[in-house]
């Protein structure tokens, strides 16, 4: 049954009056307990170094786009992680300038490493500033460790930046050399491919194929013309007699032989002896010579018989010679057509080889182009990495400088003894009242009529107050005065102890 808040102050006062000695005892115990904690509380001292991050020096705009300065994305977390590394902490724990009189045994070093890690802190101090500090119970240790932490951080940061730049340059340089080998290998493969495949380009093959096809069409047209000429000559020869009757004399034979020999000499200038016209003329000349000899041997024949002798018709012989020549031309054209068809078939096979090699040539050229683009890009990046490496080596990139050195801590950090002294009095005075308020909230007894009315739902007509006799009032007054005197004595003793602590007596 909760007590109404409006009745809480009066009930607290009534409970305090009834338990005066208990409240006084609680005040005594709580105040002196807090004061005792103030005596034994371990006071720590803090010292810190303010670091300035210089990432906007004059070199940066000058080298914009040509060099990349090393950056730290999160400076606070990066600095803390760097300082908490085993190598840095162990260097600090084994430094004789920081711990000149400390033991360097492994157990002692490990204990110092744990203490340094637990008390080290890194805090932001603005956009370009942060502090590195250390807290300890020893003023001298705090000052030395904070100062040394800043030095180690700057040294380690510079070393890491140099290693990072050098590592980036070495990696890119290694990639450049690797792509140089790949590029040389692809170029050698392309060179071997071009030397082994001499079929030419697709355009050249198409032009040559078109030329051969045109020549083939022309040759076929010429063959048709020659075949038509042969048929025409054969038809003409069919209407001409093979021989004619004429008188034969020695002069006639001599004249005809002379004409045929002249024609034979003319053909020999153009053709071989196996040419059909040459063979026919030689046969005709031999036949005429034979007839001439026979004519000379039978010189007693009459003139009428000589005049009625039959001989070859010159027109028939001329047409026959033309037919033979036309047939030879047809045979020549047929050979030419066959050769052109073979050449076209060879060009088709050449085109197939070109198409097969085209894909391989495309792969080689594509690999060459890709490797060359990557190689050129890596060359540019290697030069940027080289400049960046020199910037970090010479300290012209991102750099850290000590903006404010560590100061020797004269005052402890955290709550001081005066705070414990004031807190003891306040806690001793207010905690008993708070405890009584809490007890009233959980007390099941009915203290005021509002609680009863709320519980039973009916109004309370009258309540009878507690009545004290004059003796009880006098006794209560004496007790109150006594408790007040005791409280003043306690406060006086408390103040004396605090004063003694401040002047150094305690």
């Amino acid at each position: 049954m909760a007590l109404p808040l409006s009745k809480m102050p009066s009930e607290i006062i009534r409970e305090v009056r009834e338990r005066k000695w208990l409240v006084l005892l609680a005040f005594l115990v709580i105040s002196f307990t807090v004061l005792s904690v103030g005596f034994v509380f371990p006071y720590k001292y803090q010292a810190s170094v303010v670091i300035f991050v210089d990432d906007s020096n004059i070199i940066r705009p000058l080298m914009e786009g040509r060099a990349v300065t090393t950056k730290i994305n999160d400076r606070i977390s990066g600095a803390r992680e760097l300082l908490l590394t085993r190598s840095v902490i162990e260097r600090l724990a084994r430094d004789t300038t920081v711990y000149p009189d400390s033991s360097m045994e492994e157990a002692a070093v490990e204990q110092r490493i744990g203490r340094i890690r637990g008390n080290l802190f890194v805090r932001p101090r603005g956009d370009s500033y942060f502090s590195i500090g250390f807290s300890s119970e020893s003023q001298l240790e705090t000052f030395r460790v904070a100062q040394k932490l800043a030095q180690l951080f700057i040294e380690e940061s510079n070393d890491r930046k140099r290693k990072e730049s050098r590592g980036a340059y070495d990696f890119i340089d290694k990639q450049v050399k690797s792509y140089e080998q790949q590029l040389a290998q692809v170029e050698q493969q392309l060179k071997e491919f071009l030397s082994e495949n001499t079929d030419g380009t697709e355009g050249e093959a198409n032009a040559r194929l078109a030329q051969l096809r045109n020549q083939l069409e022309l040759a076929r047209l010429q063959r048709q013309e020659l075949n038509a000429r042969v048929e025409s000559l054969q038809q003409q020869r069919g209407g001409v007699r093979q021989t004619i009757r004429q008188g034969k004399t020695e002069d006639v034979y001599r004249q005809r032989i002379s004409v045929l020999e002249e024609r034979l000499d003319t053909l020999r200038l153009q053709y071989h002896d196996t040419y059909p016209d040459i063979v026919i003329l030689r046969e005709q000349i031999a036949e005429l010579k034979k007839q001439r000899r026979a004519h000379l041997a039978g010189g007693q024949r009459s003139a009428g018989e000589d005049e009625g002798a039959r001989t070859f018709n010159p027109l028939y012989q001329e047409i026959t010679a033309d037919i033979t020549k036309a047939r030879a031309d047809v045979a020549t054209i047929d050979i030419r057509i066959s050769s052109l068809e073979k050449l076209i078939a060879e060009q088709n096979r050449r085109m197939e080889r070109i198409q097969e090699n085209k894909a391989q040539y495309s792969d080689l050229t594509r690999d060459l182009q890709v490797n060359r683009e990557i190689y050129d890009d890596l060359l540019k990046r290697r030069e940027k990495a080289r400049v960046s490496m020199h910037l970090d080596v010479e300290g012209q990139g991102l750099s850290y400088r000590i903006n404010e050195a560590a100061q020797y801590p004269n005052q402890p950090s955290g709550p001081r003894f005066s705070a414990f002294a004031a807190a003891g009095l306040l806690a001793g005075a207010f905690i008993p009242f708070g405890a009584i308020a809490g007890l009233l909230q959980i007390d099941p007894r009915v203290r005021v009529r509002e609680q009863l009315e709320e519980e039973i739902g009916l109004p309370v007509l009258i309540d009878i107050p507690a009545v004290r006799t004059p003796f009880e009032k006098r006794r209560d007054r004496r007790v109150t005065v006594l408790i007040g005197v005791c409280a003043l004595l306690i406060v006086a003793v408390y103040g004396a102890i605090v004063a003694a602590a401040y002047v150094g007596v305690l």
Side-chain angles (χ1 to χ4, degrees):
M1 188 179 301
L3 183 68
L5 294 178
S6 60
K7 300 295 182 179
M8 183 69 70
S10 60
E11 289 298 320
I12 291 175
I13 293 173
R14 188 171 66 83
E15 288 292 333
V16 170
R17 286 177 178 177
E18 291 180 358
R19 297 176 173 81
K20 298 180 181 66
W21 292 107
L22 183 60
V23 172
L24 181 62
L25 179 62
F27 172 73
L28 175 65
V29 172
I30 293 172
S31 59
F32 278 91
T33 300
V34 174
L35 186 62
S36 302
V37 171
F39 276 106
V40 299
F41 184 79
Y43 296 101
K44 287 190 175 182
Y45 296 89
Q46 286 187 358
S48 61
V49 179
V50 179
I51 303 296
F52 172 65
V53 183
D54 185 11
D55 59 350
S56 58
N57 53 22
I58 194 173
I59 296 296
R60 183 174 181 179
L62 293 176
M63 302 304 296
E64 188 73 28
R66 300 188 178 275
V68 179
T69 56
T70 307
K71 297 182 179 179
I72 299 178
N73 295 329
D74 190 352
R75 300 187 182 110
I76 303 301
S77 61
R80 182 174 179 80
E81 291 176 2
L82 188 147
L83 291 172
L84 289 178
T85 54
R86 175 75 184 188
S87 60
V88 176
I89 298 295
E90 188 171 357
R91 284 177 59 187
L92 178 59
R94 295 182 180 275
D95 195 337
T96 56
T97 60
V98 179
Y99 298 100
D101 300 328
S102 301
S103 174
M104 293 300 165
E105 296 181 356
E106 290 298 327
V109 171
E110 291 296 330
Q111 184 178 4
R112 284 197 296 273
I113 290 174
R115 188 171 69 253
I116 293 172
R117 282 181 173 174
N119 297 321
L120 182 148
F121 61 88
V122 180
R123 297 171 183 170
R125 297 288 294 272
D127 294 337
S128 300
Y129 297 87
F130 64 92
S131 61
I132 299 174
F134 182 74
S135 61
S136 174
E137 299 177 6
S138 172
Q139 296 171 281
L140 184 59
E141 180 187 12
T142 302
F143 172 72
R144 289 176 175 175
V145 171
Q147 194 173 22
K148 192 64 179 180
L149 279 173
Q151 296 176 2
L152 291 176
F153 170 75
I154 293 176
E155 292 176 3
E156 191 70 18
S157 297
N158 293 333
D159 290 342
R160 287 196 176 188
K161 286 192 297 180
R162 295 188 186 99
K163 290 179 181 178
E164 180 183 354
S165 301
R166 183 67 186 182
Y169 173 78
D170 292 340
F171 173 77
I172 297 176
D173 183 64
K174 184 178 179 182
Q175 294 298 315
V176 167
K177 293 179 180 178
S178 175
Y179 273 94
E180 282 181 353
Q181 297 177 358
Q182 295 182 19
L183 193 61
Q185 184 178 1
V186 174
E187 290 177 347
Q188 182 64 27
Q189 291 177 357
L190 184 60
K191 181 179 178 181
E192 293 176 357
F193 174 80
L194 293 176
S195 62
E196 293 175 358
N197 299 275
T198 57
D199 293 325
T201 63
E202 185 177 359
E204 294 175 353
N206 287 327
R208 177 60 177 166
L209 187 60
Q211 181 182 5
L212 291 175
R213 286 174 178 173
N214 291 333
Q215 292 179 3
L216 179 61
E217 291 178 358
L218 292 176
R220 286 175 177 174
L221 290 175
Q222 290 178 2
R223 184 175 64 179
Q224 291 177 1
E225 292 175 357
L226 290 174
N227 287 331
R229 178 178 175 78
V230 170
E231 291 178 359
S232 176
L233 290 173
Q234 286 178 351
Q235 291 178 0
Q236 292 178 8
R237 191 179 65 174
V240 178
R241 294 181 180 181
Q242 185 174 5
T243 60
I244 60 175
R245 185 182 298 278
Q246 65 177 6
K248 296 181 180 179
T249 62
E250 182 180 358
D251 293 335
V252 172
Y253 283 114
R254 185 181 295 110
Q255 184 180 0
R256 291 193 61 193
I257 290 171
S258 177
V259 171
L260 293 177
E261 286 179 349
E262 290 179 359
R263 186 174 180 181
L264 178 64
D265 293 337
T266 302
L267 291 175
R268 280 181 173 177
L269 293 175
Q270 298 178 0
Y271 304 101
H272 294 288
D273 290 342
T274 58
Y275 190 70
D277 290 352
I278 294 177
V279 174
I280 293 172
L281 287 174
R282 291 175 67 182
E283 292 178 354
Q284 291 178 357
I285 292 171
E287 182 66 24
L288 289 173
K289 287 180 177 181
K290 182 179 178 181
Q291 292 179 6
R292 179 173 173 275
R293 285 194 300 270
H295 176 75
L296 293 175
Q300 300 300 324
R301 294 182 180 179
S302 62
E305 292 177 352
D306 290 340
E307 293 174 359
R310 301 183 67 84
T311 184
F312 289 103
N313 190 347
L315 180 59
Y316 182 86
Q317 292 177 354
E318 184 178 356
I319 293 173
T320 302
D322 291 339
I323 292 173
T324 303
K325 181 180 179 183
R327 286 177 177 174
D329 292 339
V330 170
T332 303
I333 290 296
D334 289 337
I335 295 173
R336 183 180 178 187
I337 290 173
S338 177
S339 300
L340 289 173
E341 289 177 347
K342 291 181 180 179
L343 289 175
I344 290 174
E346 178 63 28
Q347 284 299 118
N348 289 328
R349 290 191 294 271
R350 175 190 176 189
M351 181 64 69
E352 292 177 357
R353 291 195 301 270
I354 290 175
Q355 293 297 333
E356 292 176 356
N357 296 332
K358 188 176 180 180
Q360 185 176 358
Y361 179 78
S362 300
D363 292 339
L364 290 174
T365 53
R366 183 172 58 253
D367 293 342
L368 180 63
Q369 182 179 1
V370 172
N371 288 333
R372 189 178 298 279
E373 290 177 357
I374 297 176
Y375 176 73
D376 294 339
D377 183 65
L378 286 175
L379 282 179
K380 297 178 182 178
R381 293 179 181 272
R382 185 176 67 176
E383 293 307 314
K384 287 185 178 181
R386 188 198 306 275
V387 177
S388 301
M389 180 179 63
H390 289 310
L391 285 177
D392 285 334
V393 169
E394 296 178 4
Q396 298 297 332
L398 177 67
S399 61
Y400 298 97
R401 296 202 307 267
I402 296 178
N403 186 69
E404 183 178 337
Q407 302 295 324
Y408 190 86
N410 294 317
Q411 298 293 332
S413 61
R416 301 182 182 180
F417 180 75
S418 58
F420 281 99
L425 289 177
L426 295 176
F430 288 103
I431 287 178
F433 289 92
I436 291 174
L439 290 174
L440 290 176
Q441 290 295 325
I442 63 175
D443 190 2
R445 292 178 298 174
V446 178
R447 295 178 174 271
V448 294
R449 66 178 182 177
E450 285 82 358
Q451 289 180 283
L452 187 59
E453 289 175 350
E454 183 180 355
E455 181 67 22
I456 65 177
L458 296 174
V460 178
L461 298 178
I462 192 171
D463 56 346
I464 300 174
V467 179
R468 294 185 298 171
T469 63
F471 173 76
E472 290 175 344
K473 291 180 179 180
R474 289 193 301 272
R475 186 183 61 183
D476 184 65
R477 190 180 298 112
R478 287 194 298 267
V479 172
T480 301
V481 173
L482 180 60
I483 289 175
V485 173
C486 293
L488 292 176
L489 291 175
I490 292 173
V491 172
V493 173
Y494 190 91
I497 295 174
V498 172
Y502 267 104
V503 297
V505 177
L506 294 179

